[in-house]
Amino acid sequence: MPAYPLRHVDDSFLREAPLVVSSTVSLDATPSAVWAALGSDEMWSWLPLIDQLEWRSPKPHDVGSIRRLRLGRFVTVDEEFYRWDVDRRATFRVVGQSRKVADALIEDFLLTPTDRGTDLTWTMALSPLKGRGLPLGLLAPLLRPGNTLAIAGIKKILR
């Protein structure tokens, strides 16, 4: 596990975090198809920022699963899934990091069936380390469009 643990947070953090960013993309695919893409190891393959991904737990793709990601050869994080509701919702908290980057981080993926397919909403809740990194006033405007662009990349593997 990366050397620096993050604060343990739960769903309340999705509402109370210093920075909460939500992005929604409408997809012409069933919730099952979106879920399969979302849970695949190809999910972030179009995003060069993520250059390594591996499941660290004996039973991946379930509650309690640990996934390790490396972001731009800069930081490695361990994500613990505490919600895995097939075809509906997945939520994880980052439990460890190789560099001190954040105090707490949760990401939530919600699938909502629509007449045309599925709306996929990605919510990121973040508490940066105090006194480090970009101020929230500068970070939020960067994350919002970046997250929207990143989550829309799922269209590339839904084809």
Side-chain angles (χ1 to χ4, degrees):
M1 177 182 240
Y4 302 104
L6 278 77
R7 182 165 46 101
H8 185 90
V9 290
D10 58 23
D11 278 357
S12 63
F13 191 68
L14 290 165
R15 297 178 305 277
E16 301 165 359
L19 178 61
V20 178
V21 176
S22 287
S23 301
T24 300
V25 61
S26 294
L27 304 165
D28 295 329
T30 65
S32 292
V34 174
W35 184 262
L38 187 63
S40 78
D41 290 345
E42 296 175 41
M43 176 56 191
W44 300 105
S45 61
W46 63 86
L47 190 64
L49 177 65
I50 297 175
D51 61 357
Q52 284 184 359
L53 179 148
E54 67 177 305
W55 290 92
R56 306 288 294 179
S57 50
K59 188 175 180 186
H61 306 98
D62 202 354
V63 170
S65 295
I66 303 289
R67 183 173 67 181
R68 180 170 286 172
L69 295 177
R70 188 173 74 177
L71 305 165
R73 300 179 187 209
F74 171 72
V75 64
T76 300
V77 298
D78 281 352
E79 306 167 331
E80 174 190 36
F81 285 84
Y82 68 87
R83 179 182 293 115
W84 194 269
D85 298 334
V86 175
D87 294 347
R88 292 180 296 165
R89 193 171 181 191
T91 313
F92 67 81
R93 65 183 136 248
V94 175
V95 294
Q97 57 196 343
S98 61
R99 295 177 189 255
K100 292 181 180 182
V101 176
D103 171 57
L105 174 65
I106 284 183
E107 294 186 31
D108 182 64
F109 297 88
L110 178 65
L111 287 70
T112 306
T114 66
D115 293 340
R116 293 191 51 208
T118 307
D119 283 349
L120 172 59
T121 301
W122 173 27
T123 301
M124 176 188 289
L126 169 69
S127 176
L129 290 172
K130 299 206 184 316
R132 292 185 172 206
L134 288 173
L136 290 181
L138 295 176
L139 189 58
L142 296 174
L143 278 178
R144 285 189 181 98
N147 284 9
T148 299
L149 182 64
I151 198 65
I154 195 171
K155 293 176 183 178
K156 294 179 181 177
I157 60 173
L158 281 171
R159 293 185 183 147

